[in-house]
């Protein structure tokens, strides 16, 4: 149970009960057995029936959420689940993916990738890139309207994936959706006196150490990349009480400074993963609506109309 103390007054009123009941972190310093067991329960509880599962290669499977009645090539988003790089699975976010599909008419394909520490960098990014390449080749996908997105560690993987796609030049992304992304291995290295909900500074440092496993942070960590030019229009959202708040704002500013259309949505009084825990809270609904607006603008009917009229969708800033 998180002990917020004086910080409790800063929590959005509709989130306060959950903030009091939720843990302050996963205590990764005690090992992965219990955290993975907890996340496995979330994966099983979140799994929805009727979702097609496709094998991409020996390491990668995807869960395919398609709009009802779609028969023409259309937009698609590769979604990467959260879990600190070390736990979780695609099925845990089935309901969220289905909501995105229902509100945007964008196909959402969620990837199951290998996990650290057994499979450190670059294995998870390799897996996500394989899934993205597979997705762009499907006959029901318009390759000009493909995006990447993810939450928490998945948001960090999405950012890394967008950088890899740009660097290799094999795929051109139309959008990225970074939901309270895990972007910077330096976060939590110094003293963090604020109580946290769901994810702590100590957890963050341990997870990054397991994930990097000696890899060059200048290559593997999105926040350490110095050239962000040429990345797709970006939505980045985070709560003010999230451990990732400062690094998210910094990455948003860096994207904007690099000329990337980037909208940063700040959820006042919100902790990590608040929208999944309390989806009906007003702050969560606004958070989700802003994501929907971005996807409609960059991947949906609006972007298709701009393409037909010869407009360059990459020059349109995501709506605020």
């Amino acid at each position: 149970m998180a002990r917020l103390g004086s910080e409790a007054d800063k929590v959005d009123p509709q989130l306060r009960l959950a903030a009091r009941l939720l843990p302050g972190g996963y205590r990764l310093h005690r090992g992965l057995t219990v955290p993975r067991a907890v996340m496995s329960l979330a994966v099983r509880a979140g799994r929805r029936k009727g979702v097609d599962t496709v094998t991409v290669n020996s390491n990668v499977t995807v869960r395919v959420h398609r709009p009802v009645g779609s028969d023409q090539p259309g937009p698609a988003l590769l979604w990467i689940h959260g879990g600190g790089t070390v736990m979780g699975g695609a099925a845990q976010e089935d309901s969220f993916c289905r909501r995105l599909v229902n509100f945007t008419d964008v196909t959402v394909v969620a990837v199951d990738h290998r996990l650290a520490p057994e499979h450190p960098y670059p294995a998870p990014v390799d897996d996500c890139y394989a899934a993205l390449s597979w997705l762009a080749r499907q006959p029901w996908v318009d390759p000009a309207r493909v995006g990447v997105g993810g939450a928490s560690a998945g948001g960090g993987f999405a950012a890394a994936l967008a950088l890899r796609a740009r660097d290799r030049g094999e795929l051109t992304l139309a959008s990225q959706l970074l939901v309270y992304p895990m972007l910077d291995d330096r976060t939590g290295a110094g003293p963090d006196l604020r109580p946290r909900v769901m994810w702590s500074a100590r957890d963050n440092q341990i997870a990054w150490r397991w994930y990097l496993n000696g890899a060059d942070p200048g290559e593997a960590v999105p926040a350490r990349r110095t050239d962000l030019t040429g990345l797709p229009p970006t939505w980045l959202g985070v709560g003010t009480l999230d451990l990732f708040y400062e690094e998210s704002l910094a990455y948003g500013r860096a994207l904007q400074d690099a000329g990337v259309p980037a909208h940063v949505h700040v959820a006042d009084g919100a902790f990590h993963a608040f929208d999944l825990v309390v989806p009906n809270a007003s702050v969560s609904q606004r958070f989700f609506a802003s994501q929907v607006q971005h996807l409609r603008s960059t991947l949906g009917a609006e972007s298709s109309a701009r393409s037909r009229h010869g407009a360059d969708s990459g020059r349109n800033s995501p709506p605020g």
Side-chain angles (χ1 to χ4, degrees):
M1 181 179 294
R3 292 177 174 84
L4 295 174
S6 61
E7 295 285 299
D9 291 340
K10 298 179 181 179
V11 180
D12 180 279
Q14 292 183 303
L15 304 178
R16 284 177 188 166
L17 177 59
R20 286 197 297 267
L21 297 176
L22 289 168
Y26 282 87
R27 300 183 181 182
L28 296 184
H29 60 283
R30 297 184 177 180
L32 275 170
T33 301
V34 173
R36 280 186 170 171
V38 171
M39 289 296 287
S40 293
L41 289 174
V43 172
R44 288 197 293 271
R47 188 181 302 274
R48 292 183 55 166
K49 295 180 180 179
V51 180
D52 291 335
T53 301
V54 180
T55 298
V56 173
N57 61 35
S58 59
N59 296 314
V60 182
T61 60
V62 293
R63 295 178 64 78
V64 181
H65 305 262
R66 294 190 64 189
V68 175
S70 62
D71 54 4
Q72 298 296 318
L77 177 77
L78 183 75
W79 181 257
I80 310 170
H81 68 81
T85 79
V86 297
M87 53 190 171
Q92 74 194 37
E93 289 159 28
D94 272 1
S95 293
F96 172 79
C97 291
R98 192 69 244 170
R99 285 182 72 207
L100 275 185
V101 173
N102 291 343
F103 278 87
T104 64
D105 285 330
V106 172
T107 293
V108 178
V109 173
V111 55
D112 264 313
H113 55 77
R114 287 173 291 176
L115 301 172
E118 295 88 349
H119 304 283
Y121 176 85
V125 181
D126 291 343
D127 293 349
C128 293
Y129 192 81
L132 179 63
S133 300
W134 173 88
L135 178 61
R137 295 193 304 268
Q138 298 312 299
W140 35 268
V141 171
D142 177 356
R145 291 190 287 160
V146 173
V148 294
S152 193
F157 286 144
L161 201 56
L163 286 160
R164 178 180 286 194
R166 181 206 63 182
D167 292 346
R168 292 189 177 180
E170 299 168 340
L171 299 163
T172 300
L173 295 176
S175 181
Q176 65 173 338
L177 187 73
L178 309 180
V179 183
Y180 31 79
M182 182 178 172
L183 297 165
D184 196 334
D185 65 307
R186 296 163 291 192
T187 296
D192 181 33
L193 302 179
R194 297 182 67 176
R196 301 292 179 181
V197 179
M198 296 293 284
W199 190 249
S200 69
R202 190 176 191 180
D203 286 339
N204 201 54
Q205 283 293 294
I206 293 170
W208 271 111
R209 185 169 69 248
W210 286 341
Y211 171 65
L212 290 175
N213 192 37
D216 177 13
E219 172 189 327
V221 179
R224 290 183 182 258
R225 297 290 294 268
T226 56
D227 179 12
L228 302 183
T229 58
L231 291 174
T234 301
W235 184 94
L236 195 160
V238 69
T240 55
L241 303 181
D242 197 312
L243 178 68
F244 299 151
Y245 176 62
E246 295 294 343
E247 69 181 66
S248 294
L249 295 189
Y251 198 71
R253 287 192 297 268
L255 287 168
Q256 292 165 351
D257 290 345
V260 177
H263 170 66
V264 179
H265 182 102
V266 175
D268 190 44
F271 50 81
H272 193 66
F274 70 98
D275 58 322
L276 298 180
V277 176
V278 194
N280 292 325
S282 297
V283 65
S284 303
Q285 296 280 359
R286 291 191 295 270
F287 198 67
F288 180 73
S290 185
Q291 295 170 45
V292 167
Q293 192 174 8
H294 171 75
L295 291 181
R296 284 177 173 171
S297 175
T298 56
L299 298 182
E302 297 171 36
S303 65
S304 178
R306 284 197 299 271
S307 297
R308 288 195 301 271
H309 287 86
D312 181 358
S313 63
R315 292 177 184 164
N316 288 274
S317 296

